[in-house]
Amino acid sequence: MQSRLKSLIPKYAILPLGLALLVNTCVYTGVGQLRHFLTFSSWETSFDKALPFVAPFVFFYILAFVQWGVSYILIARDSRELCYRFAISNIYAKIICLFFFLLFPTTLTRPEISGTDLCSRLVQLIYTIDAPVNLFPSIHCLESWACIRAAFLLKKSNRTYKIVTILMSLGVFASTLLIKQHVIVDVFGGILVFEVGFRIAGRILNTRGQCKKGAATP
């Protein structure tokens, strides 16, 4: 198992990506444990209410986890610089998420699932294991937007990979709305929060690079 992991992920990427995963887990599950102490509001709009419930989109929602895994493996293998930037971006984005989850907690009234088909059962399973908290910003949309950003920065990314990533991410965005896990502001919130984290990471790494150059100058 360890040898397979090393063949997929370079040694330099294990710590930053592991730390990013740890922060994500602590933020999401930690706030979830505090939900009984928070006062929630709903940011559902008339647009959200007009959207139908479309159970088959649950597959996009679930396959998003595969998309993220593949994307971060490619990021890790691309270069140390890109790996560090995405790891730092992710950490800062999740810290921003923590701020919103605690200070502006939102919730959503989910529909009752009456169907017995596979898609309906999968949605019901998601509803059971994932309480309607930690909605704004949407981490699902945040991570899939990160995949789009990575697709255009990876050295070996080709046109096909970029198109597939965009289509998959759009499917994920739609799935959060059509299986009633999020509302429209959560989608744009996830995109915006990642962009903020991405800019912070860029400034940190640029400052660090300039400091190294300055220290190397005699």
Side-chain angles (χ1 to χ4, degrees):
M1 182 67 179
Q2 290 182 346
S3 60
R4 289 182 179 179
L5 182 62
K6 289 180 180 178
S7 64
L8 282 176
I9 302 177
K11 188 176 180 180
Y12 64 74
I14 294 176
L15 179 59
L17 293 186
L19 183 58
L21 180 60
L22 177 62
V23 170
N24 176 79
T25 303
C26 290
V27 168
Y28 197 84
T29 60
V31 176
Q33 297 302 313
L34 298 173
R35 64 183 181 274
H36 300 297
F37 304 96
L38 301 173
T39 301
F40 293 87
S41 60
S42 175
W43 291 359
E44 188 176 24
T45 66
S46 56
F47 172 81
D48 297 297
K49 293 177 181 178
L51 290 176
F53 172 78
V54 187
F57 269 82
V58 70
F59 289 113
F60 280 105
Y61 195 84
I62 294 172
L63 288 175
F65 294 95
V66 177
Q67 180 194 33
W68 306 339
V70 171
S71 181
Y72 274 94
I73 287 173
L74 294 176
I75 290 168
R77 294 171 66 87
D78 182 90
S79 67
R80 185 188 299 267
E81 292 74 21
L82 194 67
C83 175
Y84 280 15
R85 181 161 191 185
F86 270 84
I88 295 172
S89 301
N90 203 291
I91 290 170
Y92 273 96
K94 298 305 166 53
I95 292 174
I96 297 172
C97 287
L98 176 62
F99 171 82
F100 281 104
F101 292 166
L102 289 176
L103 298 184
F104 302 97
T106 60
T107 190
L108 178 65
T109 301
R110 293 162 162 174
E112 291 187 11
I113 309 299
S114 58
T116 57
D117 58 285
L118 175 61
C119 296
S120 297
R121 291 187 181 213
L122 288 174
V123 174
Q124 186 59 63
L125 176 61
I126 290 172
Y127 284 3
T128 301
I129 63 179
D130 188 21
V133 297
N134 300 340
L135 300 188
F136 180 88
S138 166
I139 289 183
H140 248 71
C141 297
L142 185 157
E143 297 290 6
S144 287
W145 178 256
C147 293
I148 292 178
R149 291 291 256 136
F152 286 86
L153 293 173
L154 292 168
K155 295 173 184 175
K156 295 183 179 180
S157 176
N158 55 36
R159 185 170 180 269
T160 299
Y161 180 76
K162 292 174 183 175
I163 292 174
V164 170
T165 300
I166 291 172
L167 293 177
M168 177 62 192
S169 296
L170 290 176
V172 173
F173 298 163
S175 75
T176 63
L177 301 176
L178 297 178
I179 67 169
K180 303 301 180 178
Q181 278 288 85
H182 288 278
V183 295
I184 188 66
V185 293
D186 301 339
V187 176
F188 290 105
I191 294 172
L192 179 60
V193 166
F194 179 80
E195 284 299 312
V196 172
F198 197 67
R199 287 177 178 269
I200 292 174
R203 290 186 179 183
I204 290 173
L205 294 175
N206 286 338
T207 301
R208 183 181 177 187
Q210 291 171 4
C211 289
K212 284 185 176 181
K213 288 180 181 179
T217 301

